[in-house]
Amino acid sequence: MEIKKITVLGAGLMGNGIAQVCAQAGYEVIMRDIEDRFVENGMNTIKKNLQKAVEKGKMGEDEMNAVLGRITGLTDLKEAMKDPDLVIEAVPENMDLKKSIYSEIDALAPEKTIFASNTSSLSITEMASVTKRPEKFIGMHFFNPVPVMKLVELIRGFLTSDETLETVREVTEKLGKTPVVCTDSPGFIANRIALPMLNEAYYVLMEGIATREDIDTAMKLGYNHPMGPLELSDLVGLDTILSILDIYYKEFGDPKYRACPLLRKMVRAGLYGRKSGRGFYDYTK
């Protein structure tokens, strides 16, 4: 199946990034969100990203305008579902919300349309179960920031077809990304490995073993990580990390996934990281 039209559900941090890279790859894109202000914010972010690329000489003005011309912002869900070949959902990481959306769009989208969820932790099989097209349902986990990060995890649900996997793999490669494939298990590959490491860094800080700066420096210089675990956590969002760890703990029942008490206290205090202005570091200064 050839993919020409892509609808992205969600115009937030991940959604606008996905819409941007799809348009840059030549796809006709609809970016849909529930309110005009969200769509406008998403479009403004894309424009700023592309303008920076122009200023750095990575693309010309004509190319930037062509990319922007391939993106249409909408709030009308029926209009967004008229004729997409692929729907990439990028709404908040909440299973009930995602299942509600898939139940609704399953009745609106053409039979040909493939559904892909940009989830970092939730079951693809469970989401697909509320649709009549589980064989055309797949996980497509992008990493933040989407225009920069090369990795996309492709997650096969229990009933995902080989054809769907190969079609979405081709799209991923056309976006200039590198796909890796895994089965439907909490955390998939990257987060399943990375989050226990981040959680252990919180314990090291909580137990007074080292300062936040020395923890980050140790991992950057000792393991050549581009960011330390506490810096990375602030970028991802401490609330997001806590939510994922809680999902792992519930799914696996293994104490190694028990969220550090310090992390839970910080989230309760509203210290989410960069997006709230404070996390392990202070970004208000």
Side-chain angles (χ1 to χ4, degrees):
M1 176 182 173
E2 184 179 4
I3 303 297
K4 295 180 179 179
K5 298 180 180 180
I6 297 175
T7 291
V8 178
L9 298 180
L13 182 66
M14 299 302 291
N16 67 59
I18 294 168
Q20 177 184 324
V21 297
C22 288
Q24 284 182 257
Y27 293 107
E28 183 180 336
V29 180
I30 288 176
M31 183 174 67
R32 186 265 177 183
D33 214 312
I34 56 175
E35 294 184 24
D36 286 329
R37 63 191 176 101
F38 297 143
V39 175
E40 290 170 8
N41 287 341
M43 289 299 298
N44 287 336
T45 298
I46 293 171
K47 289 174 185 176
K48 288 177 184 177
N49 289 342
L50 296 178
Q51 188 61 53
K52 287 179 182 177
V54 171
E55 291 169 0
K56 292 179 179 179
K58 295 181 178 180
M59 71 167 55
E61 288 275 355
D62 289 345
E63 184 181 353
M64 178 185 75
N65 292 330
V67 171
L68 291 172
R70 287 193 285 270
I71 305 174
T72 302
L74 291 176
T75 56
D76 189 320
L77 186 60
K78 288 185 179 179
E79 187 69 21
M81 289 296 116
K82 266 190 174 179
D83 195 35
D85 300 306
L86 172 65
V87 172
I88 303 175
E89 163 268 310
V91 306
E93 197 78 333
N94 179 286
M95 179 59 83
D96 289 339
L97 173 62
K98 288 179 184 284
K99 287 168 73 173
S100 174
I101 289 171
Y102 283 117
S103 292
E104 188 172 4
I105 68 173
D106 191 46
L108 298 174
E111 187 177 332
K112 66 175 182 177
T113 306
I114 294 172
F115 290 166
S117 177
N118 175 56
T119 178
S120 60
S121 60
L122 300 177
S123 171
I124 300 303
T125 302
E126 184 174 347
M127 282 184 262
S129 71
V130 302
T131 75
K132 295 178 181 178
R133 64 186 84 201
E135 73 287 348
K136 292 184 179 179
F137 203 113
I138 194 169
M140 199 176 186
H141 178 210
F142 291 82
F143 287 73
N144 179 39
V146 177
V148 176
M149 300 296 281
K150 291 292 186 182
L151 179 65
V152 177
E153 291 180 323
L154 302 183
I155 306 100
R156 296 192 68 150
F158 190 65
L159 296 173
T160 304
S161 70
D162 291 342
E163 181 183 1
T164 295
L165 175 62
E166 290 311 311
T167 297
V168 175
R169 190 202 299 268
E170 289 175 11
V171 171
T172 303
E173 291 173 346
K174 188 174 178 181
L175 299 183
K177 306 299 185 185
T178 300
V180 294
V181 180
C182 62
T183 57
D184 188 15
S185 179
F188 315 133
I189 303 172
N191 282 347
R192 173 79 177 270
I193 296 169
L195 262 69
M197 181 201 72
L198 299 182
N199 199 40
E200 196 62 29
Y202 314 150
Y203 276 108
V204 171
L205 181 64
M206 184 181 74
E207 293 169 12
I209 295 170
T211 65
R212 62 187 181 184
E213 291 84 3
D214 283 352
I215 291 168
D216 282 339
T217 298
M219 296 307 293
K220 286 188 285 188
L221 300 185
Y223 288 89
N224 204 28
H225 290 184
M227 298 180 73
L230 304 181
E231 294 171 311
L232 177 60
S233 298
D234 278 353
L235 177 64
V236 173
L238 305 193
D239 54 333
T240 299
I241 292 171
L242 177 60
S243 174
I244 296 171
L245 282 169
D246 283 345
I247 289 170
Y248 292 177
Y249 190 44
K250 180 181 177 182
E251 287 283 336
F252 295 115
D254 190 326
K256 73 180 179 182
Y257 297 112
R258 183 176 69 88
C260 176
L262 175 61
L263 174 65
R264 199 172 297 279
K265 286 179 181 178
M266 291 179 70
V267 170
R268 286 173 176 166
L271 305 180
Y272 301 150
R274 288 181 180 271
K275 62 185 174 184
S276 69
R278 286 180 62 196
F280 290 106
Y281 295 89
D282 189 344
Y283 303 94
T284 61
K285 298 175 183 179

Tab-separated table of all heavy atoms in Angstrom, residues 62 76 112 146-147 160 175 193 204 239 241 244 271 274 277:
chain	number	residue	atom	x	y	z
A	62	ASP	N	12.021	28.694	-0.302
A	62	ASP	CA	11.035	28.020	-1.144
A	62	ASP	C	10.678	26.645	-0.583
A	62	ASP	O	9.508	26.243	-0.566
A	62	ASP	CB	11.559	27.865	-2.583
A	62	ASP	CG	11.623	29.195	-3.323
A	62	ASP	OD1	10.997	30.160	-2.829
A	62	ASP	OD2	12.297	29.265	-4.361
A	76	ASP	N	-11.855	19.802	13.156
A	76	ASP	CA	-12.975	18.923	12.786
A	76	ASP	C	-12.460	17.493	12.567
A	76	ASP	O	-11.718	17.228	11.620
A	76	ASP	CB	-13.629	19.447	11.506
A	76	ASP	CG	-14.925	18.722	11.171
A	76	ASP	OD1	-14.981	17.479	11.345
A	76	ASP	OD2	-15.882	19.374	10.731
A	112	LYS	N	-9.197	1.389	4.226
A	112	LYS	CA	-7.779	1.239	3.874
A	112	LYS	C	-6.823	1.798	4.931
A	112	LYS	O	-5.650	1.428	4.987
A	112	LYS	CB	-7.495	1.995	2.568
A	112	LYS	CG	-7.662	3.505	2.712
A	112	LYS	CD	-7.274	4.288	1.469
A	112	LYS	CE	-7.423	5.790	1.706
A	112	LYS	NZ	-6.988	6.596	0.544
A	146	VAL	N	11.246	15.274	17.857
A	146	VAL	CA	11.011	14.438	16.677
A	146	VAL	C	11.846	14.838	15.461
A	146	VAL	O	12.413	13.961	14.787
A	146	VAL	CB	9.505	14.425	16.318
A	146	VAL	CG1	9.266	13.616	15.047
A	146	VAL	CG2	8.692	13.853	17.475
A	147	PRO	N	11.969	16.134	15.130
A	147	PRO	CA	12.755	16.482	13.935
A	147	PRO	C	14.227	16.100	14.032
A	147	PRO	O	14.904	15.965	13.016
A	147	PRO	CB	12.587	18.011	13.838
A	147	PRO	CG	11.312	18.303	14.552
A	147	PRO	CD	11.307	17.334	15.707
A	160	THR	N	-1.237	-7.427	14.406
A	160	THR	CA	-0.671	-6.582	13.347
A	160	THR	C	-0.170	-7.438	12.194
A	160	THR	O	0.594	-8.391	12.399
A	160	THR	CB	0.492	-5.730	13.883
A	160	THR	OG1	0.040	-4.947	14.991
A	160	THR	CG2	1.026	-4.794	12.805
A	175	LEU	N	10.885	9.088	6.142
A	175	LEU	CA	10.979	10.243	7.036
A	175	LEU	C	12.427	10.528	7.439
A	175	LEU	O	12.700	11.507	8.131
A	175	LEU	CB	10.153	10.007	8.309
A	175	LEU	CG	8.649	9.800	8.161
A	175	LEU	CD1	8.004	9.651	9.543
A	175	LEU	CD2	7.998	10.940	7.395
A	193	ILE	N	14.747	-0.326	28.903
A	193	ILE	CA	16.132	-0.338	29.366
A	193	ILE	C	16.494	0.958	30.100
A	193	ILE	O	17.148	0.947	31.139
A	193	ILE	CB	17.090	-0.548	28.171
A	193	ILE	CG1	16.852	-1.934	27.546
A	193	ILE	CG2	18.551	-0.377	28.596
A	193	ILE	CD1	17.540	-2.140	26.222
A	204	VAL	N	20.224	7.450	43.836
A	204	VAL	CA	21.573	7.906	44.163
A	204	VAL	C	21.524	9.334	44.714
A	204	VAL	O	22.218	9.672	45.686
A	204	VAL	CB	22.488	7.829	42.915
A	204	VAL	CG1	23.828	8.514	43.171
A	204	VAL	CG2	22.706	6.376	42.511
A	239	ASP	N	6.653	13.832	35.436
A	239	ASP	CA	5.315	13.241	35.517
A	239	ASP	C	5.155	12.111	34.505
A	239	ASP	O	4.550	11.067	34.807
A	239	ASP	CB	4.235	14.304	35.320
A	239	ASP	CG	4.410	15.114	34.035
A	239	ASP	OD1	5.553	15.244	33.545
A	239	ASP	OD2	3.402	15.626	33.534
A	241	ILE	N	7.622	10.246	33.276
A	241	ILE	CA	8.452	9.126	33.720
A	241	ILE	C	7.772	8.360	34.848
A	241	ILE	O	7.756	7.124	34.854
A	241	ILE	CB	9.833	9.632	34.155
A	241	ILE	CG1	10.607	10.154	32.934
A	241	ILE	CG2	10.643	8.528	34.859
A	241	ILE	CD1	11.887	10.875	33.260
A	244	ILE	N	5.001	6.151	33.493
A	244	ILE	CA	5.500	4.964	32.796
A	244	ILE	C	6.016	3.927	33.793
A	244	ILE	O	5.743	2.729	33.669
A	244	ILE	CB	6.597	5.343	31.786
A	244	ILE	CG1	6.010	6.250	30.690
A	244	ILE	CG2	7.204	4.097	31.151
A	244	ILE	CD1	7.052	6.850	29.768
A	271	LEU	N	6.846	19.708	40.290
A	271	LEU	CA	8.180	19.911	39.701
A	271	LEU	C	8.375	18.883	38.589
A	271	LEU	O	8.943	17.822	38.792
A	271	LEU	CB	9.258	19.752	40.785
A	271	LEU	CG	9.090	20.637	42.030
A	271	LEU	CD1	10.225	20.378	43.020
A	271	LEU	CD2	9.036	22.104	41.650
A	274	ARG	N	11.517	20.800	32.708
A	274	ARG	CA	11.561	22.001	31.867
A	274	ARG	C	10.179	22.606	31.642
A	274	ARG	O	10.005	23.821	31.645
A	274	ARG	CB	12.203	21.671	30.517
A	274	ARG	CG	13.706	21.444	30.591
A	274	ARG	CD	14.281	21.137	29.224
A	274	ARG	NE	15.717	20.916	29.262
A	274	ARG	CZ	16.642	21.859	29.129
A	274	ARG	NH1	16.260	23.104	28.950
A	274	ARG	NH2	17.921	21.556	29.177
A	277	GLY	N	9.197	24.595	34.575
A	277	GLY	CA	10.182	25.582	35.017
A	277	GLY	C	11.166	25.052	36.047
A	277	GLY	O	12.259	25.593	36.214
